[in-house]
Amino acid sequence: MIKTRVFVSLKTSVFDPSSSVIKNTMQKLGYNSVMDIKENKYYELVFDENDPEIVKSLTKELGEKLLVNPNTENFRFEIIESS
Amino acid sequence: MKKIVYNIITFPGSNCDRDIKWVAELHGAECEFVWHKDFELKNPDVVVIPGGFSYGDYLRCGALANYSNIMSAIIKFADEGGLIIGICNGFQILTEANLLPGTLLKNKSMRFICQHHYIKVENNTTPFTCEYQKNEVIDIPIAHKDGFYFIDDKGLNDLIENRQIIFRYSDSSGNIFDDFNPNGSVLNIAGIVNKKGNILGMMPHPERAADDVLPSTKGRFVFESINKWIKERK
């Protein structure tokens, strides 16, 4: 069994209203040193596989095919656990 | 003369699918609902992907619907030049399927917007707008949280060059300013077609403005345009 973690973030050219609202609220609460915030997503995938290379390839494929919209998002991933 | 056949795709969470049937039938068409788990269409002249919240908008709006069984048949129909309209969530699904360029993001205000809005017809030479006047301004309902149309600069130039921008949010006189942009869309875009011109995606709901009992009826010309376009070619 191998577990991977996939991080998805908006491309910098894409306006992110959610992060902007969160930042404004933090500043409203008095945390004025917060200059910027990025809201990202991450997924944990558990594979019934023992070969890390196969898992890397499957994770990449799933990221490109389903988890990410390539017009607006980037992603990276890492293996976090194997047993 | 044989009636025009609409196929209306339904997902769990679709809405206004029955309104589309009602309006299409008012215009003399025949309608068949097609369940998203089906593999085949039912001999359509037009396919409509309605609004709503397919798959609960999980992952991204339209992302999971893009992998429903019926999508292969829809892509084949599109490739053969068949007419397709995606309304609201249907527009989101068409972008996720890469049948239309760009992406629908969260509204800049982060709010769900449900209101009447004016849009301007930018191109009245398409199968979906040929019964509108050039630059006509219409009053039409919008109801969405993810309607911010985003596309990169290169994609936007292509849309402009190929006259693919069909509807833009405006004021009642057709002026296009940021103040009349309800969701932050690039260039106030409310609807586009693909390069070939046979697929329309729009966030506003024409089917909710197409019956005499409603405050606005200008949405009916989308259906009348389709009728005219198909009848002239049959």
Side-chain angles (χ1 to χ4, degrees):
Chain A
M1 187 190 85
I2 298 180
K3 197 187 263 190
T4 60
R5 184 183 278 163
V6 182
F7 297 89
V8 179
S9 57
L10 275 182
K11 289 182 176 173
T12 48
S13 57
V14 179
F15 178 66
D16 175 8
S18 177
S19 295
S20 171
V21 170
I22 296 167
K23 187 187 80 178
N24 291 345
T25 305
M26 285 177 172
Q27 290 177 341
K28 205 167 122 190
L29 290 170
Y31 296 93
N32 294 316
S33 58
V34 178
M35 287 174 65
D36 201 9
I37 174 173
K38 290 274 175 278
E39 186 183 74
N40 297 319
K41 293 188 270 192
Y42 94 86
Y43 302 91
E44 285 181 5
L45 279 64
V46 182
F47 292 89
D48 183 17
E49 294 278 358
N50 294 316
D51 183 341
E53 290 310 313
I54 291 175
V55 167
K56 280 183 195 169
S57 160
L58 289 171
T59 306
K60 184 170 180 288
E61 194 175 315
L62 283 167
E64 289 166 350
K65 198 170 179 178
L66 183 65
L67 293 177
V68 165
N69 180 329
N71 292 330
T72 52
E73 294 171 323
N74 291 318
F75 79 105
R76 64 185 172 83
F77 63 89
E78 61 192 22
I79 291 182
I80 53 170
E81 215 176 288
S82 56
S83 59
Chain B
M1 191 182 179
K2 194 177 165 287
K3 284 185 172 181
I4 291 171
V5 179
Y6 278 67
N7 277 191
I8 303 162
I9 314 299
T10 47
F11 295 88
S14 288
N15 68 28
C16 291
D17 40 346
R18 285 171 193 281
D19 305 53
I20 293 161
K21 180 176 191 285
W22 174 268
V23 173
E25 286 178 354
L26 275 182
H27 289 85
E30 210 175 279
C31 291
E32 295 278 358
F33 288 113
V34 180
W35 184 234
H36 74 114
K37 286 189 174 172
D38 290 353
F39 287 92
E40 300 291 338
L41 294 169
K42 299 173 182 173
N43 298 316
D45 296 299
V46 192
V47 168
V48 187
I49 308 179
F53 304 88
S54 57
Y55 290 90
D57 280 350
Y58 296 160
L59 189 60
R60 296 177 307 277
C61 300
L64 300 178
N66 176 33
Y67 289 101
S68 278
N69 296 345
I70 197 61
M71 286 309 290
S72 305
I74 291 175
I75 291 166
K76 185 168 172 275
F77 182 69
D79 288 345
E80 290 164 354
L83 299 186
I84 299 177
I85 315 178
I87 300 166
C88 201
N89 186 224
F91 187 9
Q92 295 159 347
I93 293 169
L94 290 173
T95 58
E96 282 286 343
N98 282 323
L99 289 172
L100 288 173
T103 306
L104 280 313
L105 298 170
K106 291 246 173 319
N107 296 341
K108 265 193 177 171
S109 65
M110 288 299 287
R111 293 193 177 126
F112 187 96
I113 306 166
C114 182
Q115 61 189 31
H116 273 250
H117 212 288
Y118 291 106
I119 57 172
K120 183 178 175 185
V121 180
E122 291 280 318
N123 181 344
N124 69 339
T125 63
T126 75
F128 314 100
T129 53
C130 57
E131 285 284 48
Y132 285 105
Q133 300 299 310
K134 196 177 175 197
N135 294 327
E136 186 169 349
V137 178
I138 61 175
D139 173 10
I140 197 163
I142 56 172
H144 58 252
K145 190 175 180 181
D146 295 72
F148 169 1
Y149 182 74
F150 174 82
I151 190 162
D152 61 21
D153 290 342
K154 189 194 165 298
L156 186 60
N157 284 337
D158 288 346
L159 288 184
I160 295 167
E161 265 180 32
N162 301 319
R163 300 197 64 211
Q164 288 172 253
I165 300 171
I166 304 305
F167 299 115
R168 292 172 78 192
Y169 301 107
S170 71
D171 71 1
S172 59
S173 306
N175 297 307
I176 292 168
F177 298 122
D178 280 350
D179 287 354
F180 307 112
N181 188 340
N183 50 32
S185 287
V186 171
L187 286 187
N188 288 37
I189 288 173
I192 58 161
V193 289
N194 61 334
K195 202 169 175 182
K196 210 157 78 177
N198 61 316
I199 305 173
L200 169 72
M202 61 189 295
M203 287 312 292
H205 285 268
E207 78 285 7
R208 294 190 195 177
D211 188 293
D212 287 336
V213 299
L214 296 168
S216 167
T217 58
K218 292 282 189 168
R220 71 169 50 168
F221 292 107
V222 169
F223 299 88
E224 290 185 11
S225 297
I226 290 167
N227 270 0
K228 183 183 174 196
W229 188 272
I230 291 175
K231 279 178 183 163
E232 282 176 0
R233 282 157 184 79
K234 268 198 170 181

